[in-house]
Amino acid sequence: PLHEGETVSLSAFSAGAVFSELGAADGAEVLAHFTEGPVAGSPAITRNPVGTGAAYYIATRLSADGTDELLAWIATDAGVEAAYEPQDDVEIVRRSNGDRSWLFVINHSDDDAELAIDGVELISGASVEGTLVVPAGKVAVVRQAHTQ
C-alpha cells in the first residue's frame, strides 16, 4: 500500500495511487512498468493474449485520465470503435438483435446533447431524421431499422 496522497510514476498511462504490487510478466506483454518507488521496474500493466482476446492486469490504481487512456487503448486493441464521439456526462449504449438496433441515450449533464442519428424515438414516438436532441437530465431510446 502507498501512503495517503502518495503516487508512483509509470512508464505509460499516468501515475498509480493507493497501492503498487510487485509482479512479473511471465510471458505477458508489459504495457507499463513502475519507474519509481519500492517496486520500480516491476510490471504495472500487462497484456496476455488468451484465445481470440486478451487479459489485462493492472497492479495499481490509475487516475481517471489514466483509466480513460488505458480503456481507449484496450478498445482499439480489440477492434472496437465508438459509434459516437464520447460526450461528458452522456451515456450512449447500442443494443442489436442482428437486423435492428436500439440506441439508449442518458443525458446526465446540465446541457442538451445532440447525436447524428435516424430512427424512431420510442419514448415520444417521434421520427428522428439527422439529429436527436436529448434534453439535460432526460433519456431517449431510438429504434433503427438496421444495425450500424
Side-chain angles (χ1 to χ4, degrees), residues 11 14 23 31 34 37-39 45-46 48 50 54 64 80 83 86-87 89 91 95 100 108 115 126 141-142 144:
S11 60
S14 80
L31 301 180
F34 293 100
V39 296
I45 303 171
T46 60
N48 193 19
V50 179
V80 175
Q87 298 180 33
D89 298 323
E91 291 181 57
R95 296 288 184 251
R100 284 193 179 186
H108 299 282
L115 295 146
V141 180
V142 178
Q144 297 178 283

Side-chain angles (χ1 to χ4, degrees), residues 54-147:
Y56 294 82
Y57 189 80
I58 306 166
T60 190
R61 178 178 289 170
L62 298 174
S63 67
D65 288 343
T67 300
D68 288 348
E69 183 183 356
L70 177 60
L71 290 176
W73 191 94
I74 291 170
T76 299
D77 183 49
V80 175
E81 295 181 21
Y84 294 91
E85 186 68 29
Q87 298 180 33
D88 288 341
D89 298 323
V90 178
E91 291 181 57
I92 305 170
V93 176
R94 180 185 306 275
R95 296 288 184 251
S96 173
N97 70 359
D99 41 281
R100 284 193 179 186
S101 66
W102 295 263
L103 191 72
F104 297 80
V105 183
I106 305 172
N107 185 353
H108 299 282
S109 77
D110 294 329
D111 300 312
D112 292 352
E114 292 187 11
L115 295 146
I117 191 169
D118 293 319
V120 175
E121 200 291 310
L122 298 176
I123 296 172
S124 68
S127 180
V128 179
E129 296 179 16
T131 301
L132 170 70
V133 176
V134 182
K138 300 295 182 181
V139 175
V141 180
V142 178
R143 182 183 65 223
Q144 297 178 283
H146 55 81
T147 304

